[in-house]
Every structure is written in structure tokens, then in C-alpha cells.
Amino acid sequence: MPTANFPWRQGWVHQCRMRPPLRLPCSKYCALSPTTACIVGVGESDDYGATPNHSALALQSQASWNALKDAGLERGDIDGLITQTGGRMAAINFAEYFGIMPNFVESTFVGGASNVAHIDIAAAAINAGICN
């Protein structure tokens, strides 16, 4: 599930029991238990600075692809999405742009604290069994 306040940086949070594609032990990433929600991939967009030829959605998409690659996941593995780029229905707009149909979407905007709030919401959704 992506979390971001800025369109150029994405992180993926999901349960560590989903780690097998990376072939790394959960204990390396999660100190609590194998079912603790943790960040498993981070990505930034390929373009930095002034990007007049790219929309916020395009930059967010680049960052998301890079985060998925870092996590060893594929687009089809996404079943929950949390993001906020300042627009209306940010998560739904991004899901459509990125070509996914997640079971859970959230786009709470709480200013500079959005990133932290998104991580907490992602962990809660995972722990509640809404998504992986």
C-alpha cells in the first residue's frame, strides 16, 4: 500500500509475512513479529527539480514503480492505496492513473503530518485484515 504526501516519494507498507519475494528474513526488517506491518520498499521519481513536462500523477507513478521494484513486488500485489497530492479524491485518481483497483483507498490530508498518518492508517488497515 503506497503512502505519500509528496508525489515524487512513495513507500510501500504491508505485512512482513508477504516478504517471500525478497527471500530475506522478516527479523531483519521487523523487530516485533513476522506479522508486524513494516515498510518494505521506498522509491523516488526519476526526475527531480523543475519538471514542467510531468504531472504530479506521472511523478507519483514513477516513484511507485521504483518502490515496487525496491520491495520486489508487482503492481498486481497492490490491494490498498493511501496517498495525498493535495487534490480531490487523490487515491482514486492515482489508482486509475496507475491502473490498479485496490480494495482499500484513503487520502486523508493533515498537512505535513500526512506521511506519518498514512503509515499509521496503512498499518491499521493491514492489521484489520482489510488488505495485505
Side-chain angles (χ1 to χ4, degrees):
M1 154 178 327
T3 62
N5 188 31
F6 302 103
W8 59 87
R9 176 166 277 176
Q10 292 291 118
W12 294 87
V13 180
H14 67 97
Q15 281 185 317
C16 284
R17 62 187 152 113
M18 300 296 291
R19 299 272 315 142
L22 297 178
R23 295 175 178 76
L24 297 171
C26 287
S27 60
K28 181 175 180 179
Y29 297 96
C30 299
L32 299 176
S33 76
T35 59
T36 300
C38 60
I39 297 172
V40 296
V42 177
E44 295 182 331
S45 66
D46 300 326
D47 301 303
Y48 295 92
T51 56
N53 297 326
H54 297 292
S55 67
L57 286 173
L59 294 172
Q60 191 174 17
S61 181
Q62 286 178 3
S64 295
W65 279 115
N66 291 336
L68 285 170
K69 181 179 174 184
D70 185 51
L73 299 171
E74 297 178 8
R75 186 170 53 177
D77 295 324
I78 301 169
D79 63 355
L81 175 67
I82 301 175
T83 189
Q84 179 49 256
T85 56
R88 288 184 162 176
M89 302 187 319
I92 294 171
N93 289 333
F94 178 72
E96 184 176 292
Y97 184 88
F98 201 58
I100 59 174
M101 293 183 65
N103 299 326
F104 175 79
V105 294
E106 169 63 27
S107 57
T108 299
F109 179 67
V110 290
S114 293
N115 292 328
V116 174
H118 291 168
I119 292 170
D120 288 344
I121 294 166
I126 291 165
N127 291 331
I130 297 170
C131 51
N132 291 314

